mmCIF file of all heavy atoms in Angstrom:
data_model
loop_
_atom_site.group_PDB
_atom_site.id
_atom_site.type_symbol
_atom_site.label_atom_id
_atom_site.label_comp_id
_atom_site.label_asym_id
_atom_site.label_seq_id
_atom_site.Cartn_x
_atom_site.Cartn_y
_atom_site.Cartn_z
ATOM 1 N N SER A 115 129.378 138.560 56.113
ATOM 2 C CA SER A 115 127.930 138.410 56.257
ATOM 3 C C SER A 115 127.573 136.931 56.314
ATOM 4 O O SER A 115 128.166 136.113 55.622
ATOM 5 C CB SER A 115 127.216 139.088 55.087
ATOM 6 O OG SER A 115 125.851 138.790 55.120
ATOM 7 N N TRP A 116 126.573 136.628 57.141
ATOM 8 C CA TRP A 116 126.119 135.234 57.221
ATOM 9 C C TRP A 116 125.365 134.806 55.955
ATOM 10 O O TRP A 116 125.064 133.626 55.777
ATOM 11 C CB TRP A 116 125.208 135.053 58.430
ATOM 12 C CG TRP A 116 125.953 135.125 59.721
ATOM 13 C CD1 TRP A 116 125.948 136.129 60.622
ATOM 14 C CD2 TRP A 116 126.837 134.126 60.230
ATOM 15 N NE1 TRP A 116 126.770 135.855 61.685
ATOM 16 C CE2 TRP A 116 127.338 134.610 61.474
ATOM 17 C CE3 TRP A 116 127.280 132.886 59.776
ATOM 18 C CZ2 TRP A 116 128.228 133.894 62.251
ATOM 19 C CZ3 TRP A 116 128.178 132.174 60.548
ATOM 20 C CH2 TRP A 116 128.652 132.665 61.772
ATOM 21 N N ASP A 117 125.047 135.769 55.064
ATOM 22 C CA ASP A 117 124.386 135.412 53.815
ATOM 23 C C ASP A 117 125.289 134.627 52.891
ATOM 24 O O ASP A 117 124.827 133.928 51.994
ATOM 25 C CB ASP A 117 123.899 136.663 53.094
ATOM 26 C CG ASP A 117 122.812 137.371 53.898
ATOM 27 O OD1 ASP A 117 122.137 136.692 54.684
ATOM 28 O OD2 ASP A 117 122.665 138.586 53.718
ATOM 29 N N LEU A 118 126.590 134.730 53.090
ATOM 30 C CA LEU A 118 127.526 134.017 52.232
ATOM 31 C C LEU A 118 127.888 132.683 52.861
ATOM 32 O O LEU A 118 127.969 132.568 54.079
ATOM 33 C CB LEU A 118 128.805 134.843 52.044
ATOM 34 C CG LEU A 118 128.607 136.168 51.308
ATOM 35 C CD1 LEU A 118 129.928 136.918 51.269
ATOM 36 C CD2 LEU A 118 128.112 135.901 49.899
ATOM 37 N N PRO A 119 128.042 131.637 52.048
ATOM 38 C CA PRO A 119 128.393 130.330 52.598
ATOM 39 C C PRO A 119 129.755 130.376 53.244
ATOM 40 O O PRO A 119 130.646 131.089 52.813
ATOM 41 C CB PRO A 119 128.379 129.413 51.375
ATOM 42 C CG PRO A 119 128.564 130.318 50.205
ATOM 43 C CD PRO A 119 127.950 131.610 50.580
ATOM 44 N N ALA A 120 129.908 129.555 54.270
ATOM 45 C CA ALA A 120 131.141 129.559 55.036
ATOM 46 C C ALA A 120 132.190 128.663 54.433
ATOM 47 O O ALA A 120 133.361 128.841 54.692
ATOM 48 C CB ALA A 120 130.872 129.125 56.473
ATOM 49 N N SER A 121 131.774 127.617 53.644
ATOM 50 C CA SER A 121 132.733 126.687 53.061
ATOM 51 C C SER A 121 132.039 125.946 51.925
ATOM 52 O O SER A 121 130.805 125.972 51.798
ATOM 53 C CB SER A 121 133.218 125.697 54.114
ATOM 54 O OG SER A 121 132.139 124.875 54.541
ATOM 55 N N PRO A 122 132.788 125.241 51.055
ATOM 56 C CA PRO A 122 132.155 124.444 49.998
ATOM 57 C C PRO A 122 131.193 123.391 50.548
ATOM 58 O O PRO A 122 130.115 123.167 49.989
ATOM 59 C CB PRO A 122 133.342 123.803 49.284
ATOM 60 C CG PRO A 122 134.474 124.745 49.537
ATOM 61 C CD PRO A 122 134.245 125.295 50.913
ATOM 62 N N ASP A 123 131.547 122.733 51.651
ATOM 63 C CA ASP A 123 130.647 121.747 52.249
ATOM 64 C C ASP A 123 129.351 122.393 52.733
ATOM 65 O O ASP A 123 128.259 121.836 52.581
ATOM 66 C CB ASP A 123 131.342 121.038 53.412
ATOM 67 C CG ASP A 123 132.480 120.164 52.936
ATOM 68 O OD1 ASP A 123 132.464 119.782 51.739
ATOM 69 O OD2 ASP A 123 133.371 119.854 53.743
ATOM 70 N N THR A 124 129.502 123.605 53.333
ATOM 71 C CA THR A 124 128.312 124.314 53.801
ATOM 72 C C THR A 124 127.429 124.717 52.629
ATOM 73 O O THR A 124 126.189 124.633 52.701
ATOM 74 C CB THR A 124 128.725 125.554 54.598
ATOM 75 O OG1 THR A 124 129.576 125.148 55.673
ATOM 76 C CG2 THR A 124 127.507 126.265 55.170
ATOM 77 N N ARG A 125 128.060 125.135 51.530
ATOM 78 C CA ARG A 125 127.293 125.501 50.347
ATOM 79 C C ARG A 125 126.524 124.309 49.810
ATOM 80 O O ARG A 125 125.359 124.420 49.414
ATOM 81 C CB ARG A 125 128.225 126.074 49.272
ATOM 82 C CG ARG A 125 128.733 127.476 49.578
ATOM 83 C CD ARG A 125 129.293 128.130 48.341
ATOM 84 N NE ARG A 125 130.491 127.454 47.845
ATOM 85 C CZ ARG A 125 131.735 127.762 48.232
ATOM 86 N NH1 ARG A 125 131.921 128.721 49.115
ATOM 87 N NH2 ARG A 125 132.754 127.120 47.730
ATOM 88 N N ARG A 126 127.156 123.146 49.782
ATOM 89 C CA ARG A 126 126.458 121.936 49.311
ATOM 90 C C ARG A 126 125.311 121.559 50.247
ATOM 91 O O ARG A 126 124.244 121.130 49.808
ATOM 92 C CB ARG A 126 127.453 120.782 49.190
ATOM 93 C CG ARG A 126 128.480 120.958 48.078
ATOM 94 C CD ARG A 126 129.299 119.705 47.880
ATOM 95 N NE ARG A 126 130.271 119.859 46.833
ATOM 96 C CZ ARG A 126 131.527 120.276 47.022
ATOM 97 N NH1 ARG A 126 131.932 120.593 48.254
ATOM 98 N NH2 ARG A 126 132.350 120.390 46.000
ATOM 99 N N MET A 127 125.538 121.680 51.560
ATOM 100 C CA MET A 127 124.492 121.353 52.524
ATOM 101 C C MET A 127 123.296 122.285 52.372
ATOM 102 O O MET A 127 122.135 121.850 52.396
ATOM 103 C CB MET A 127 125.043 121.426 53.945
ATOM 104 C CG MET A 127 124.020 121.083 55.019
ATOM 105 S SD MET A 127 123.351 119.418 54.830
ATOM 106 C CE MET A 127 124.822 118.450 55.185
ATOM 107 N N ARG A 128 123.581 123.579 52.219
ATOM 108 C CA ARG A 128 122.487 124.530 52.033
ATOM 109 C C ARG A 128 121.753 124.283 50.719
ATOM 110 O O ARG A 128 120.530 124.421 50.651
ATOM 111 C CB ARG A 128 123.019 125.959 52.077
ATOM 112 C CG ARG A 128 123.519 126.366 53.452
ATOM 113 C CD ARG A 128 123.904 127.817 53.481
ATOM 114 N NE ARG A 128 124.378 128.204 54.814
ATOM 115 C CZ ARG A 128 124.774 129.431 55.143
ATOM 116 N NH1 ARG A 128 124.744 130.387 54.214
ATOM 117 N NH2 ARG A 128 125.184 129.704 56.364
ATOM 118 N N LEU A 129 122.469 123.873 49.691
ATOM 119 C CA LEU A 129 121.834 123.549 48.421
ATOM 120 C C LEU A 129 120.906 122.333 48.588
ATOM 121 O O LEU A 129 119.786 122.314 48.074
ATOM 122 C CB LEU A 129 122.896 123.272 47.363
ATOM 123 C CG LEU A 129 122.370 122.843 45.983
ATOM 124 C CD1 LEU A 129 121.504 123.948 45.388
ATOM 125 C CD2 LEU A 129 123.541 122.509 45.052
#
Side-chain angles (χ1 to χ4, degrees):
S115 172
W116 289 107
D117 295 334
L118 296 176
S121 65
D123 292 338
T124 303
R125 287 197 294 270
R126 292 188 180 92
M127 181 59 67
R128 292 186 180 181
L129 177 61

